[in-house]
């Protein structure tokens, strides 16, 4: 087992509790790691402005991997270090193929989130993200430049159907991941949390094998594959657990504390 120098952690369902809070016991465990020279990077499917308040609350100062790896930004200086947007034609194609159904569709352009769904339908999602959505009658018409990502939200069974359908129709033109069973994220085909983590390791002058990655969603798979050890918290789907090098006995932030105590503070 390598000596780990960095933790790369997902946010929702991993670092945060079910009410989207940073718990003090997690913050204390992270501080113990820092005392031993082991820092943390946050890798999330959220757009950067949505992730930033939590990153600051966690005391994390390393660059944030946001939007599934399409954005890497310094939370201290605000400098954009990397951005790989989705081709606008592919974004429009995905939006057209999901139109007139039950799905809520969102487009992220320049740190703004546009949707054609009603305020009533998206209120809880908006509050969870801490983002105000801009409502547009036709999402396809707002995509006049390459967006960072497209997000589709619906019932789990409908997201499973849409994921299979769009994979058949769009093939490898885009990157798709179910960050949660009721979400489908669509990004530039060359990005992933894992690819962004490898780039960040070069910047930090450490090896990917020296990273302990932890997460709970399918968009964490490539990060598990890139890192020296990928750990799935207990609330992760069973198929992701099968891909992990370690499966936590505890959910979300308690699982993060568990792996910190087992692998970093032992």
């Amino acid at each position: 087992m390598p000596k780990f120098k960095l933790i790369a952690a997902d946010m929702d369902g991993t670092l945060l509790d079910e009410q989207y809070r940073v718990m003090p016991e997690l913050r204390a465990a992270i501080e113990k790691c820092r005392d031993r020279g082991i820092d943390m990077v946050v890798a999330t499917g959220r757009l950067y402005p949505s992730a930033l308040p939590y990153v600051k609350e966690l005391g994390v100062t390393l660059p944030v991997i946001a939007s599934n790896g399409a954005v890497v930004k310094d939370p201290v200086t605000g400098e954009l270090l990397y951005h790989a947007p989705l081709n606008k034609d592919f974004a429009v194609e995905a939006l057209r193929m999901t139109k007139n159904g039950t799905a809520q569709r969102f487009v992220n352009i320049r740190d703004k989130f546009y949707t054609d769904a009603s305020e009533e339908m998206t209120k809880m999602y908006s509050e969870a993200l801490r983002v105000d959505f801009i409502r547009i009658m036709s999402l396809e018409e707002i995509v006049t430049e390459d967006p960072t990502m497209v997000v589709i939200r619906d019932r789990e069974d409908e997201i499973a159907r849409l994921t299979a359908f769009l994979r058949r129709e769009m093939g490898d033109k885009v990157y798709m991941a179910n960050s949660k069973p009721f979400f489908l994220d669509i990004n530039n085909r060359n990005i992933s949390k894992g690819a962004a983590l490898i780039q960040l390791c070069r910047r930090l002058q450490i090896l990917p094998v020296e990273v302990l990655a932890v997460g709970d969603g399918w968009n964490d798979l490539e990060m598990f594959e890139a890192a020296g050890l990928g750990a799935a918290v207990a609330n992760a789907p069973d198929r992701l657990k099968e891909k992990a090098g370690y499966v936590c006995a505890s959910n979300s932030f308690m699982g993060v504390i568990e792996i910190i105590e087992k692998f970093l503070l032992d």
Side-chain angles (χ1 to χ4, degrees):
M1 186 69 67
K3 179 177 173 59
F4 296 112
K5 297 181 179 178
L6 182 71
I7 314 165
D10 171 56
M11 183 173 287
D12 294 285
T14 305
L15 290 172
L16 306 183
D17 75 351
E18 293 180 355
Q19 284 74 48
Y20 307 106
R21 297 176 300 187
V22 173
M23 301 306 287
E25 38 281 55
L26 173 63
R27 179 74 187 261
I30 294 170
E31 288 300 327
K32 288 180 182 177
C33 286
R34 287 201 187 97
D35 289 343
R36 298 196 178 193
I38 304 166
D39 214 333
M40 172 176 281
V41 60
V42 172
T44 178
R46 289 186 184 229
L47 62 161
Y48 176 79
S50 174
L52 186 59
Y54 298 102
V55 170
K56 289 184 175 180
E57 193 172 351
L58 287 162
V60 172
T61 58
L62 291 181
V64 178
I65 297 171
S67 299
N68 294 323
V71 170
V72 179
K73 203 165 185 178
D74 189 315
V76 178
T77 66
E79 180 186 0
L80 180 63
L81 305 176
Y82 177 77
H83 183 213
L86 172 64
N87 181 289
K88 68 178 186 298
D89 294 334
F90 298 156
V92 170
E93 185 179 346
L95 290 168
R96 285 177 177 162
M97 287 191 289
T98 55
K99 194 173 184 178
N100 299 323
T102 58
Q104 301 164 29
R105 293 108 45 79
F106 306 85
V107 180
N108 172 209
I109 303 174
R110 295 178 180 265
D111 285 342
K112 294 181 179 179
F113 238 174
Y114 299 88
T115 185
D116 56 2
S118 69
E119 183 175 359
E120 181 182 5
M121 292 178 67
T122 60
K123 186 174 185 296
M124 290 182 63
Y125 184 32
S126 175
E127 290 173 351
L129 288 183
R130 300 186 184 181
V131 167
D132 292 326
F133 299 134
I134 301 170
R135 301 187 192 283
I136 300 293
M137 291 299 294
S138 175
L139 278 183
E140 293 90 335
E141 292 180 8
I142 199 66
V143 185
T144 58
E145 61 181 282
D146 293 346
T148 297
M149 66 190 299
V150 170
V151 178
I152 312 295
R153 183 172 182 258
D154 209 329
R155 304 183 315 272
E156 290 187 23
D157 61 332
E158 183 62 8
I159 285 297
R161 186 192 72 80
L162 285 173
T163 300
F165 169 70
L166 289 174
R167 285 193 192 281
R168 288 195 305 270
E169 295 297 317
M170 302 192 76
D172 62 356
K173 292 190 292 187
V174 298
Y175 169 85
M176 295 187 202
N178 299 115
S179 52
K180 291 287 182 288
F182 43 88
F183 280 119
L184 172 60
D185 298 341
I186 303 173
N187 291 91
N188 181 304
R189 69 176 182 176
N190 295 316
I191 70 94
S192 69
K193 291 185 183 182
L197 179 62
I198 290 170
Q199 287 194 23
L200 186 56
C201 284
R202 293 194 190 105
R203 186 181 186 89
L204 299 175
Q205 298 185 325
I206 66 171
L207 299 173
V209 74
E210 296 173 314
V211 179
L212 194 165
V214 56
D216 79 312
W218 276 110
N219 57 341
D220 297 313
L221 177 60
E222 293 87 355
M223 186 166 68
F224 285 7
E225 294 171 343
L229 177 66
V233 289
N235 48 293
D238 289 340
R239 288 190 299 147
L240 182 65
K241 291 177 182 176
E242 292 171 4
K243 303 288 187 179
Y246 178 81
V247 177
C248 302
S250 302
N251 289 345
S252 60
F253 74 96
M254 289 301 298
V256 180
I257 293 172
E258 177 185 331
I259 63 162
I260 285 175
E261 292 178 345
K262 181 176 179 65
F263 294 104
L264 305 178
L265 301 181
D266 189 11

